[in-house]
Amino acid sequence: MTIKAKKFTPKVLLGAPRRSAGLPNHDGTKVLYSVSTYSFADHEKHNEIRVLDVKKQESIVVTDDKTAREPKWLRKDGDVVMLMGGEEGKTNVVIGKAEDWSKSYTAGIIPGPVENLKIHPLANNQYGFAVSGKATPAGDLYNPETAKKPHTTGRVYNTLFVRHWDHYVTENRNSIFLAQLVTNEEGKFVLSDFRNALKGTGLESPIEPFGGIDHFDISYYGLVFTAKDPELNPALHTKTNVYYFLSDTFWTPPFLQPVYPTKIHVPGFEGASTSPIFSPSGLHIAFLKMRTDGYESDKNQLFMVDDLHFPAHVTSPLGTKDLKGRWDRSPSSVIWSAKKPGEKPGFYFIAEDHGRSCLFAADWSTPNQIDRLDDPRMIVRGGAVSDIKILDNDDVFISSTSLTENSLYSLYPRKWYDEDKVYKLPDGITSPSETTQVISSQTHFGSKLGLSYKQVSEVEWPGAAEDTSVHAWVVKPSDFKKDKKYPLAYIIHGGPQGAWEDSWSTRWNPAVFAEQGYVVITPNPTGSTGFGQEFTDAIQGQWGGLPYEDLVKGFDWIEKNLDYVDTDRAVALGASYGGYMMNWIQGHDLGRRFRALVTHDGVFSMTGQLASEELYFPFHDLRGRLWDKPENWAQWDPSRFTKNWSTPHLIIHSELDYRLTISEGLAAFHTLQSRGVESQFLTFPDENHWVLKPENNLLWHRTVLDWINGHVGITKYSEQEEAEGSRNDALSVN
């Protein structure tokens, strides 16, 4: 698939092919992936499953069925299994050859919608098969198309949650369903009996709203998963536990006789758990866990059960006596590395570091010290690593993105791992950013979209707190000229425990703003992740304090040090916590230094946070509940400073945002209008905290760019579209 754009615009951003993480076969010669493309001409989304021949650098379509998803390799000779839509909301399990899908066949039919497919090889050419789906209170797979429709729309609740993220909570809960793929006399695979692994346990996994395939794993011996602690209210607590089923005959029918799973206890750690994963042998479990209940951005730390027959013996290979851990980074996922003969495998970690999502590796200090790892060492730096897969020869296949590349496949050769188990850089290589070999860049490193990494740089300035600095990405226009001054787009990230990374986004893409003629600066102030846990934690009780001061200092630093930035023509934008900060800035001195502001789904009044679904969040960050610490809630409330609101302001808020309810956006807009401040309000009745539908997203970009361009003297984007039509910025996809 080739793509080509003359100019990077919102329509190009949203119409560019979106390629999934790659799934290599056993030796990395072929890569399976899915790709979706939205056509604004047809107003239709097109989906394909494709396979890349790495040597030939050619890809072919496996299937363009719109319902096909989650392809997985089976046998080494090219068999592929995937999920496809069936009649009446059912799911077909379809198997065929990647190069000849016309001969594919249905191995089984699942009686409802499922996702998060995992398979694991068993004996005699059989596979363990796991998916997740909604289960009814009786434990059956829920199918909304065949379920009996109630005669009333009313719902009665006696406890939290009432609603979560973008939907009202019902009696149906996520669960994990298991089966086997076995071969019949004709050599074809057949799906065996389909069973709910969590039936009768009262547990839910994956955990909503974002939990997926990283919340459970299967092996030859069993199932491991993470689930909310059933004894705690999920709206008030983040505690999740790791559980597992284990048996030498786990997959032998009828597998999973009624039994409650084993719970893994981790003394002193009461927070969230994620990324449970079996070792390659299936004899060990590793997972990540946070220490503090009620704090979703606490540091993830590694834990391991070395002998599944003794789950009480949990080790912390990077732990310390004070429970803070030796490594001052918070990995988002953990993956077992390859196992050498007679040794336990070490680990790979994906973790944020200084505005990037990097790959780290760690092995045991000695083969006999099974409870102590060497400190993780960065082996891949640059861009944002999203997924890795280990090949048969122990090479690491990597899927990643960057600020100018929406899909990159690369390889980290394991040969760079020496006999002393220390990750050393090869001769001539000076940085971990140079350690990978490129397999496939979908956009030819951005050039197919009219972008270049030469547009990207980074800066730092002294932070508000002692001995801190604030990192920021700088993205310039592709036709940047040193002797020209450009208006500033100052974009503040959400979270607040989040970060601007060297990664691709279709919602807040700095390059879209840069190509309109801005110098875009995306700071990582106090509270940002990837700069050490102390820096992240420092935002507690400081929402409008240290981060705001960091941004003021940053604006001053930009004005003094970047002579190509016109701070007299500056705009500021932000979403979620970034939206809160726009409202806070509007009421304070920094607000007078911008020509226009944009708030997307931001906080207007702190007391409005009580309408949110995950109440543990404000309770933690504001250091107390409203009735116990009203002064904490009032201190950082943007609505207290509305008498100062005077800068032109665009407010965006959607009706399905149950994390920050639409009343927050309406209150901000009503305030601006009542005060006579130039303002505009954009809303979507069918979007949540994010704007995901392509046509809505295009309108979002058009409205935002028209608003800020009109206030700094740049031609409005809608006028650019009208003047140039599709001939200059159209995306050609072949």
Side-chain angles (χ1 to χ4, degrees):
M1 179 175 290
T2 59
I3 55 178
K4 181 66 176 178
K6 294 182 178 180
K7 182 180 178 181
F8 189 60
T9 66
K11 191 173 289 186
V12 171
L13 167 71
L14 301 173
R18 302 188 189 188
R19 190 167 70 170
S20 69
L23 183 66
N25 63 352
H26 67 103
D27 61 2
T29 57
K30 297 177 182 178
V31 182
L32 268 175
Y33 62 93
S34 60
V35 62
S36 65
T37 308
Y38 188 82
S39 170
F40 286 100
D42 301 333
H43 305 286
E44 188 175 5
K45 184 178 180 180
H46 304 276
N47 296 305
E48 293 177 345
I49 306 296
R50 301 180 73 96
V51 61
L52 170 69
D53 185 310
V54 173
K55 185 176 181 180
K56 294 180 180 178
Q57 283 294 294
E58 297 176 351
S59 72
I60 62 171
V61 176
V62 178
T63 176
D64 60 0
D65 188 301
K66 293 182 179 180
T67 68
R69 60 196 188 277
E70 303 193 46
K72 300 287 186 293
W73 293 105
L74 280 175
R75 294 179 285 213
K76 292 184 178 181
D77 59 0
D79 280 358
V80 172
V81 57
M82 67 180 72
L83 305 177
M84 300 181 76
E87 297 180 353
E88 296 183 313
K90 298 176 183 178
T91 301
N92 294 331
V93 179
V94 184
I95 296 175
K97 300 288 186 184
E99 284 81 7
D100 190 7
W101 193 252
S102 63
K103 297 179 181 179
S104 63
Y105 60 92
T106 300
I109 299 176
I110 299 173
V114 295
E115 58 186 348
N116 298 316
L117 170 62
K118 281 196 173 185
I119 58 173
H120 192 280
L122 307 174
N124 302 320
N125 200 31
Q126 299 179 4
Y127 287 83
F129 180 99
V131 290
S132 68
K134 289 287 186 182
T136 67
D140 301 322
L141 180 64
Y142 174 70
N143 186 336
E145 291 195 24
T146 59
K148 184 179 179 180
K149 301 298 187 291
H151 296 292
T152 177
T153 59
R155 299 185 181 101
V156 177
Y157 294 87
N158 297 310
T159 186
L160 302 170
F161 290 130
V162 171
R163 54 189 190 179
H164 198 194
W165 187 246
D166 59 4
H167 62 278
Y168 278 82
V169 174
T170 69
E171 61 186 0
N172 304 309
R173 298 288 186 268
N174 284 344
S175 196
I176 301 165
F177 295 83
L178 303 178
Q180 286 187 75
L181 285 172
V182 300
T183 51
N184 60 16
E185 296 178 354
E186 300 175 359
K188 292 185 175 181
F189 286 101
V190 177
L191 191 69
S192 73
D193 291 342
F194 190 73
R195 303 197 180 192
N196 181 353
L198 307 189
K199 183 177 180 179
T201 65
L203 300 173
E204 180 177 13
S205 185
I207 302 167
E208 290 194 330
F210 306 122
I213 205 165
D214 61 326
H215 279 198
F216 68 96
D217 195 25
I218 56 175
S219 75
Y220 186 90
Y221 300 104
L223 165 70
V224 61
F225 61 96
T226 183
K228 285 276 192 178
D229 191 310
E231 298 180 1
L232 301 175
N233 191 299
L236 302 175
H237 299 271
T238 59
K239 184 182 180 184
T240 61
N241 304 317
V242 175
Y243 304 85
Y244 67 86
F245 295 99
L246 180 70
S247 171
D248 291 339
T249 59
F250 180 81
W251 295 100
T252 303
F255 52 81
L256 274 184
Q257 298 285 347
V259 62
Y260 197 83
T262 300
K263 175 182 172 181
I264 299 175
H265 296 271
V266 186
F269 283 76
E270 301 296 322
S273 308
T274 190
S275 202
I277 186 170
F278 283 106
S279 65
S281 68
L283 299 176
H284 320 286
I285 290 175
F287 59 95
L288 302 173
K289 191 169 182 64
M290 295 179 180
R291 183 179 176 186
T292 307
D293 183 20
Y295 185 25
E296 62 184 4
S297 297
D298 199 7
K299 183 168 73 172
N300 267 325
Q301 298 192 49
L302 174 68
F303 292 92
M304 190 180 75
V305 179
D306 190 56
D307 187 340
L308 298 182
H309 295 95
F310 298 95
H313 183 60
V314 180
T315 61
S316 176
L318 293 169
T320 55
K321 291 183 179 180
D322 62 6
L323 304 184
K324 292 182 178 180
R326 283 190 283 126
W327 190 30
D328 195 21
R329 289 296 179 264
S330 181
S332 59
S333 60
V334 55
I335 305 94
W336 292 89
S337 62
K339 180 180 179 181
K340 293 190 174 184
E343 294 184 7
K344 190 191 309 298
F347 297 98
Y348 292 112
F349 303 93
I350 298 174
E352 288 181 87
D353 184 86
H354 216 77
R356 299 164 175 84
S357 183
C358 305
L359 183 61
F360 295 80
D363 219 313
W364 305 106
S365 299
T366 70
N368 296 324
Q369 282 188 292
I370 62 173
D371 61 345
R372 183 177 176 84
L373 277 176
D374 290 327
D375 290 343
R377 180 171 180 178
M378 185 187 298
I379 60 173
V380 177
R381 178 181 185 267
V385 175
S386 59
D387 184 74
I388 71 168
K389 295 289 185 290
I390 313 299
L391 305 184
D392 280 359
N393 66 354
D394 299 342
D395 287 354
V396 182
F397 178 93
I398 301 170
S399 298
S400 65
T401 69
S402 75
L403 283 164
T404 56
E405 168 61 72
N406 71 356
S407 177
L408 179 69
Y409 299 155
S410 57
L411 195 71
Y412 175 81
R414 180 73 175 191
K415 65 183 179 181
W416 293 349
Y417 176 75
D418 75 0
E419 294 299 324
D420 295 324
K421 296 184 293 298
V422 176
Y423 291 83
K424 291 184 176 179
L425 299 178
D427 292 341
I429 300 297
T430 59
S431 166
S433 61
E434 305 173 48
T435 56
T436 57
Q437 301 171 358
V438 173
I439 293 175
S440 170
S441 168
Q442 179 170 249
T443 68
H444 203 264
F445 305 103
S447 64
K448 297 294 185 180
L449 300 177
L451 301 175
S452 166
Y453 206 73
K454 293 179 179 179
Q455 297 174 239
V456 180
S457 59
E458 50 193 319
V459 296
E460 291 194 14
W461 57 77
E466 185 177 358
D467 296 327
T468 63
S469 63
V470 175
H471 169 270
W473 290 103
V474 180
V475 183
K476 305 181 185 73
S478 57
D479 58 355
F480 175 79
K481 294 179 176 59
K482 293 182 178 180
D483 57 353
K484 183 179 177 181
K485 292 181 77 72
Y486 298 84
L488 168 67
Y490 209 32
I491 308 181
I492 314 306
H493 68 66
Q497 295 91 352
W500 286 114
E501 293 186 345
D502 183 13
S503 63
W504 189 261
S505 173
T506 54
R507 294 195 303 275
W508 287 88
N509 190 304
V512 161
F513 295 89
E515 291 306 275
Q516 289 292 301
Y518 295 89
V519 167
V520 182
I521 297 184
T522 59
N524 287 315
T526 299
S528 298
T529 51
F531 301 88
Q533 194 62 37
E534 183 177 347
F535 192 74
T536 302
D537 294 345
I539 197 173
Q540 296 172 41
Q542 282 286 326
W543 265 40
L546 290 175
Y548 172 76
E549 295 174 31
D550 287 340
L551 297 176
V552 173
K553 285 179 171 290
F555 195 96
D556 291 339
W557 187 92
I558 294 165
E559 192 170 49
K560 294 176 182 178
N561 293 276
L562 302 183
D563 56 7
Y564 53 83
V565 176
D566 184 356
T567 52
D568 289 333
R569 291 191 299 147
V571 295
L573 311 88
S576 197
Y577 172 78
Y580 161 88
M581 184 53 70
M582 292 303 102
N583 294 343
W584 184 259
I585 285 173
Q586 175 69 280
H588 292 78
D589 292 344
L590 184 57
R592 310 291 78 77
R593 302 174 76 174
F594 294 106
R595 294 283 186 93
L597 302 172
V598 178
T599 290
H600 176 106
D601 290 3
V603 175
F604 172 76
S605 171
M606 281 302 189
T607 56
Q609 291 292 281
L610 288 174
S612 184
E613 7 86 288
E614 294 178 341
L615 292 176
Y616 57 75
F617 181 79
F619 290 173
H620 176 272
D621 269 26
L622 298 177
R623 292 181 171 172
R625 306 187 180 198
L626 176 62
W627 44 94
D628 295 324
K629 298 287 185 179
E631 65 280 6
N632 292 5
W633 290 59
Q635 182 179 13
W636 307 119
D637 191 330
S639 67
R640 291 179 55 224
F641 303 94
T642 51
K643 67 179 181 180
N644 301 325
W645 285 29
S646 58
T647 300
H649 204 150
L650 168 63
I651 305 293
I652 306 169
H653 219 113
S654 297
E655 292 189 24
L656 294 184
D657 185 356
Y658 298 154
R659 182 146 297 183
L660 290 168
T661 61
I662 193 172
S663 60
E664 297 292 281
L666 286 170
F669 179 63
H670 291 174
T671 297
L672 291 161
Q673 288 283 299
S674 299
R675 287 185 52 79
V677 179
E678 182 185 357
S679 52
Q680 197 171 51
F681 182 68
L682 172 64
T683 185
F684 299 97
D686 55 346
E687 298 283 5
N688 54 36
H689 201 55
W690 304 325
V691 178
L692 301 177
K693 295 179 173 63
E695 301 283 354
N696 287 348
N697 202 331
L698 181 59
L699 175 60
W700 183 96
H701 276 90
R702 184 181 293 124
T703 305
V704 169
L705 294 178
D706 279 0
W707 179 259
I708 60 175
N709 288 6
H711 285 91
V712 300
I714 295 176
T715 303
K716 292 184 177 181
Y717 176 60
S718 59
E719 295 175 4
Q720 297 174 36
E721 287 184 303
E722 184 177 349
E724 299 183 12
S726 60
R727 55 189 171 84
N728 287 335
D729 67 351
L731 178 69
S732 173
V733 180
N734 299 309

